[in-house]
Amino acid sequence: MYYGANVDAILYMGAATGDNLPAPNADVFTEVPLTGRIKPPRKELRTGFFNVLNDRNRRSVGGTSADKTVEGNVVIDWSEPTHVAMCEDADQQRKRNWRIVYPNAEERQLDFVGFVSVWDEQAFEAGEEAVEHRADFVITVDGAVTET
Amino acid sequence: MIDANLVAFLTNATAAGDRVHTGSPPQNSPKPYLVLQRTDGTAPRVLSGRALFPRARFTVIAVSRDKAAALQLANEVNARLTAKARYEMAGRSSATSVKDCRRASGPTDVTVIDGDAEFHGYAQEFAFMYLDS
């Protein structure tokens, strides 16, 4: 069944850190609260084009997977341990298990290892509209993304 | 609830005294007086469905016997509502924590003179980000 894109998608952070991480089903996951946006990793293959002798039609071949990242933002709450951990991870290149549960939770979730490579807090700005303070983040994926 | 607490916050805080009305004023209401009208309200949420600070907009019309007095009353209202970035509005049974209040538009002259009837007023719209408790 199809589903809405603006509610009920949840980002989870694994508790374990380091280069040797437990399998996702052996890790403890905590919801990252106040998440305003999650962009699942883009699937892309590097491609090459070539011609075979005098064949006028261009041929192509798919190669390795392109770099994968997960981008998003959170409404910052410094009393939330996951927000503090994401901010610290961006300094320390700490790898973790991450999980994205889709709005149709029974049907699809993504598990992957990654580290927070960007934690970018928005400016304090006396603009037209009152807004909560948010941080944009990027989680760089290390290895395969498991879809279940 | 911000609506009731805003009335309480403005009551006896300006030259209008306790003549702070919501929606529309009673007929032949003595001047000066204030009229509050809610014009907009939103409750943004994050992906989990958790609500963020609600937003509301109110138009406050300051009415007095002449234009100068109405404008002065409007300025009093603006000073009262925007003097501080964050403040509390206490009500009878609840309180509203104002996280941000800014004048979104106005003061706009809404004076109407129709025969013997004279209505001198200035309207201002205020945008609130708040939390009710």
Side-chain angles (χ1 to χ4, degrees):
Chain A
M1 187 63 182
Y2 58 86
Y3 47 90
N6 55 1
V7 71
D8 284 346
I10 309 290
L11 176 67
Y12 290 91
M13 168 191 274
T17 59
D19 288 329
N20 298 312
L21 294 169
N25 58 11
D27 204 347
V28 177
F29 283 91
T30 305
E31 178 186 339
V32 178
L34 294 168
T35 306
R37 178 175 183 270
I38 307 169
K39 169 71 177 72
R42 171 188 166 101
K43 283 188 178 182
E44 182 184 357
L45 294 179
R46 297 183 201 287
T47 54
F49 292 88
F50 59 96
N51 280 85
V52 176
L53 296 177
N54 293 325
D55 187 346
R56 65 190 293 271
N57 295 311
R58 197 89 164 126
R59 304 295 182 90
S60 61
V61 63
T64 57
S65 174
D67 299 344
K68 283 186 165 67
T69 58
V70 172
E71 297 167 25
N73 70 48
V74 294
V75 176
I76 302 172
D77 181 346
W78 293 114
S79 68
E80 290 289 350
T82 52
H83 292 189
V84 175
M86 288 176 80
C87 180
E88 290 176 354
D89 283 7
D91 282 331
Q92 299 171 20
Q93 198 192 327
R94 231 163 20 197
K95 289 182 184 173
R96 297 174 183 274
N97 285 311
W98 294 88
R99 176 174 288 164
I100 298 171
V101 175
Y102 278 47
N104 57 347
E106 301 298 316
E107 297 177 27
R108 187 173 174 80
Q109 72 178 40
L110 306 180
D111 282 289
F112 56 93
V113 172
F115 60 91
V116 178
S117 54
V118 174
W119 175 266
D120 184 15
E121 295 175 21
Q122 293 177 350
F124 299 108
E125 188 173 2
E128 287 291 310
E129 295 289 330
V131 293
E132 291 84 1
H133 192 212
R134 293 179 187 248
D136 296 318
F137 63 81
V138 176
I139 301 170
T140 298
V141 177
D142 177 29
V145 176
T146 305
E147 303 170 12
T148 49
Chain B
M1 177 102 180
I2 188 172
D3 302 64
N5 292 343
L6 182 55
V7 171
F9 191 68
L10 290 174
T11 297
N12 295 321
T14 67
D18 62 356
R19 292 181 296 280
V20 182
H21 310 295
T22 53
S24 55
Q27 275 197 325
N28 302 319
S29 182
K31 298 169 185 168
Y33 61 82
L34 298 175
V35 180
L36 273 61
Q37 295 169 339
R38 178 189 267 265
T39 55
D40 193 17
T42 57
R45 293 176 182 275
V46 290
L47 284 172
S48 66
R50 181 170 160 184
L52 299 175
F53 296 131
R55 276 75 158 163
R57 284 179 180 250
F58 289 88
T59 296
V60 182
I61 305 170
V63 180
S64 196
R65 290 179 181 81
D66 56 58
K67 274 193 177 190
L71 184 57
Q72 186 177 344
L73 180 57
N75 288 335
E76 281 183 57
V77 171
N78 180 51
R80 174 81 169 145
L81 293 180
T82 62
K84 288 189 287 186
R86 302 175 66 169
Y87 54 89
E88 301 291 317
M89 295 195 303
R92 286 181 184 168
S93 59
S94 65
T96 297
S97 177
V98 175
K99 306 299 180 186
D100 184 271
C101 175
R102 57 191 64 203
R103 185 163 62 182
S105 66
T108 306
D109 190 347
V110 291
T111 296
V112 176
I113 300 175
D114 184 7
D116 292 337
E118 283 193 27
F119 174 95
H120 296 284
Y122 280 87
Q124 305 172 90
E125 187 177 47
F126 294 93
F128 289 88
M129 184 169 79
Y130 65 97
L131 184 65
D132 278 328
S133 58

